[in-house]
Every structure is written in C-alpha cells, then in structure tokens.
Amino acid sequence: MTSSTPVAQAAPPAGKQWVDIVSKTPEAGFRQGNPNAPIQLVEYGSRTCPTCGRFAAEGVEPLRQKYVSTGKVSYEFRDFPLHGAPDLALALLNQCVGTEAFFPMLDQMFANQSGFGEKMTALPESFMQQLQAMAPPQAAAAMAEGMGAIEFVKQRGIPEAKARQCLADQATIKSIADVMADASNNRGVQGTPSFFINGKAVDAAMWSQVETALQAAGAR
C-alpha cells in the first residue's frame, strides 16, 4: 500500500476529548471521534465473531488512544449480523442504550463474548429448531434470553421491560437489516470483520494489519 502524506492533528471541542464524541451516521452506524476526520475507519462487525472479538481486545484501545484521540481518525461500527438471531439480539440490545453509551456497551459485549457463547452451546437442540420457525423479533428475544443477554444488560442499567421493547423494535430491526443488505449488495462485504478506510475496502482482520493501513493513509 502506498504511503500518503501524514495528516494533521485536530483539536476537539473545548472541554471534550475526541473519544467522547459519538454520533449516529447517515449509514446507521455509530461513529466515535472527529466527524470530519480526514481518515475514516469503518468496521462491519458481529458481536459473536471471534475475530471481531480479538480486534476488540487487541485493537480498539490503541486505536482510540493513538489515532482517534488525535482527531486524525474516526472509528465507525456498523452491524453485520452474520450469525442471525444471536447477533441481532445483541445488536438490538446494544442500540437500546442510546448513542452516547453505544461504545462502552459494545466493549463489554465483546469482552463477554465467551460467556454468551457458553450459554448458547448449552441450549438444547429443540430450542434451536424452534428458533428457526420464529420471526426475527421473536427469535431475537428468545435468543437474548437463552444466551443471558437480557440479564447482561439488566446488570448494566437497562430494565428488562425496556430490553424486551428494544428486542421487538421493528424500526431498528429494519435499520440493521438495511445496513447488512447495503454492505452485502453494494460494498462487497461477505464476512466479519470487514474494514474500510475512506470508503475503500482494506485487506485486514487483525489490529496490526488495520494499523498498517491507517499509517499508510497518513495516520502517523
């Protein structure tokens, strides 16, 4: 990848840090950092994807500290529910917390990925068969309960009634489906994680690869 000219730092608004600036984008993703950053990193991710979990564990903190904090790079997460009901359930519950709290909840969901996985593995085959016959909202709610996700968000301040309401939110379900359809049909996304820098797909899955691509784009 050809290295470009280093981009300049940008000062955040008074009294703020760039990592504290979070907004929902027109593409229905959640962006952290300078909305006008010259280098815009987008991840299409799934909360049950092990490679996404590894990126969250290894890459997100240095990404924020070294790059997003400078105003040179923004980081946007877009949902790509690759694994159906489990991913949809977690995506709906994550968006339930609102824009400002989106990334702290995303971080905690990735950190608990193995916990969700253990509960899913323990679910009986009959449950999984019943799930296949359900409509997406019912399947998401049943899976959220089965994998312990409702209890997980309850422990983090979301009342159960609100969690169940979010799991049945048709507008958010449609929004997530639209993001996935756009990614699949128009951007060539086939799996997770898939990264883009300034709209161009990056051949990267690990943090070391993403960081190399960011530096080549001028983030240094």
Side-chain angles (χ1 to χ4, degrees):
M1 184 179 290
T2 304
S3 185
S4 64
T5 305
V7 301
Q9 285 194 206
K16 293 273 192 180
Q17 296 182 22
W18 281 126
V19 292
D20 299 326
I21 309 291
V22 179
S23 54
K24 193 162 184 182
T25 67
E27 295 79 16
F30 290 81
R31 179 175 54 214
Q32 184 173 41
N34 178 4
N36 299 310
I39 301 169
Q40 306 217 344
L41 174 68
V42 172
E43 175 187 359
Y44 285 92
S46 144
R47 291 164 191 75
T48 63
C49 151
T51 309
C52 302
R54 182 174 172 184
F55 178 79
E58 296 177 358
V60 168
E61 202 52 42
L63 169 63
R64 289 171 178 153
Q65 290 184 0
K66 291 174 66 176
Y67 300 103
V68 175
S69 66
T70 67
K72 296 178 180 184
V73 176
S74 65
Y75 169 53
E76 180 178 346
F77 185 90
R78 296 181 190 170
D79 278 302
F80 195 85
L82 190 66
H83 301 120
D87 281 334
L88 179 60
L90 292 172
L92 290 166
L93 290 172
N94 197 159
Q95 295 199 26
C96 198
V97 301
T99 302
E100 287 189 6
F102 178 85
F103 282 102
M105 180 61 81
L106 180 67
D107 294 347
Q108 291 176 60
M109 285 181 166
F110 272 127
N112 191 59
Q113 189 179 79
S114 62
F116 293 135
E118 286 169 10
K119 284 188 169 61
M120 282 192 285
T121 302
L123 292 170
E125 184 63 32
S126 58
F127 174 86
M128 303 306 291
Q129 290 171 349
Q130 290 168 6
L131 208 65
Q132 291 173 1
M134 296 179 186
Q138 287 73 40
M143 181 53 82
E145 192 158 352
M147 69 196 294
I150 292 176
E151 186 60 33
F152 180 86
V153 297
K154 275 175 63 180
Q155 292 171 1
R156 287 154 182 81
I158 298 179
E160 182 170 342
K162 183 181 178 184
R164 292 188 180 279
Q165 187 177 22
C166 288
L167 287 162
D169 186 335
Q170 293 288 350
T172 307
I173 290 170
K174 182 181 185 303
S175 172
I176 292 168
D178 288 347
V179 170
M180 188 174 189
D182 173 65
S184 300
N185 299 332
N186 302 323
R187 302 174 197 268
V189 176
Q190 297 179 324
T192 56
S194 288
F195 293 98
F196 290 74
I197 292 178
N198 292 345
K200 290 187 175 181
V202 178
D203 185 13
M206 300 291 112
W207 165 240
S208 59
Q209 298 167 321
V210 173
E211 183 172 32
T212 297
L214 288 172
Q215 291 179 348
R220 52 190 194 282

